[in-house]
């Protein structure tokens, strides 16, 4: 099946739509990355606040100390989980970005093919027009005896 200019135009439009969808997916992945980054910063801030409270001078309450230790352990686990989630999101963003670049290359290749085919058709039409003019001139010239 040959690719007509109309078919190529439809394919280019389809590729543009696919590229737009890929841009939306990339934006969503980046939004999730930023959300997870904010959550990690929040956990790190909680840990820092706990450490500042623990550094205060004064009498040490055993119950507060045990509660702070348990909270520190929970916050450290949370930080680890959020770092892993952030790394996963970074990988997702990179995958979406590379997929978008692939989609763009695909669309641009289709556009280049369409441009080339349109140029070839334009040249062929110009040639056909010149042939027609030559034929027209030849037929007008012949009835006059063929001499100038």
């Amino acid at each position: 099946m040959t690719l007509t200019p109309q078919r190529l135009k439809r394919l280019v439009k389809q590729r543009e739509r696919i590229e737009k969808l890929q841009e939306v997916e990339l934006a969503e992945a980046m939004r999730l990355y930023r959300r997870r980054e904010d959550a990690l910063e929040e956990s790190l801030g909680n840990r820092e606040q706990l450490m500042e409270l623990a550094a205060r001078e004064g009498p040490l309450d055993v119950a507060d100390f045990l509660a702070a230790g348990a909270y520190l352990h929970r916050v450290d686990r949370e930080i680890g989980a959020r770092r892993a989630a952030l790394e996963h999101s970074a990988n997702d963003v990179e995958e979406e970005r590379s997929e978008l670049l692939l989609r763009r290359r695909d669309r641009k290749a289709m556009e280049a093919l369409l441009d080339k085919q349109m140029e070839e058709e334009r040249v062929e039409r110009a040639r056909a027009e010149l042939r027609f003019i030559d034929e027209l001139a030849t037929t007008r010239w012949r009835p006059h005896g063929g001499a100038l």
Side-chain angles (χ1 to χ4, degrees):
M1 175 193 311
T2 60
L3 291 175
T4 63
Q6 294 80 15
R7 184 168 170 77
L8 269 174
K9 285 178 186 176
R10 284 193 310 267
L11 284 172
V12 167
K13 290 289 185 193
Q14 179 192 28
R15 297 300 195 265
E16 286 174 352
R17 281 186 239 123
I18 291 172
E19 185 180 337
K20 296 265 187 255
L21 289 173
Q22 193 63 44
E23 287 173 353
V24 169
E25 288 182 24
L26 175 60
E28 183 59 36
M30 291 175 76
R31 223 179 343 269
L32 180 59
Y33 178 83
R34 283 191 298 273
R35 224 178 14 238
R36 286 179 171 174
E37 191 175 42
D38 291 343
L40 176 61
E41 290 298 319
E42 178 186 347
S43 292
L44 290 171
N46 289 342
R47 187 177 197 288
E48 188 64 33
Q49 282 180 337
L50 179 63
M51 296 311 244
E52 287 174 4
L53 286 174
R56 304 183 293 181
E57 290 185 26
L60 179 64
D61 184 13
V62 175
D64 287 344
F65 179 74
L66 292 175
Y71 182 70
L72 181 62
H73 181 68
R74 185 179 71 80
V75 167
D76 283 342
R77 278 193 331 225
E78 186 177 276
I79 288 171
R82 288 184 173 178
R83 278 191 176 134
L86 186 63
E87 185 178 326
H88 180 72
S89 283
N91 291 338
D92 285 348
V93 166
E94 198 53 44
E95 285 176 16
E96 295 295 337
R97 187 173 283 130
S98 65
E99 188 69 24
L100 177 61
L101 291 175
L102 181 67
R103 299 282 185 208
R104 281 191 180 147
R105 272 188 250 129
D106 186 38
R107 178 186 51 84
K108 287 182 181 188
M110 287 291 210
E111 285 175 346
L113 185 60
L114 176 62
D115 291 344
K116 181 181 175 186
Q117 195 172 44
M118 296 293 278
E119 181 63 23
E120 287 173 357
E121 280 189 6
R122 187 191 65 75
V123 167
E124 187 56 40
R125 276 194 310 270
R127 285 182 187 148
E129 189 176 307
L130 284 175
R131 281 192 302 268
F132 176 74
I133 290 171
D134 286 346
E135 284 292 322
L136 189 61
T138 303
T139 56
R140 284 190 176 171
W141 181 70
R142 281 188 189 155
H144 299 289
L148 287 175

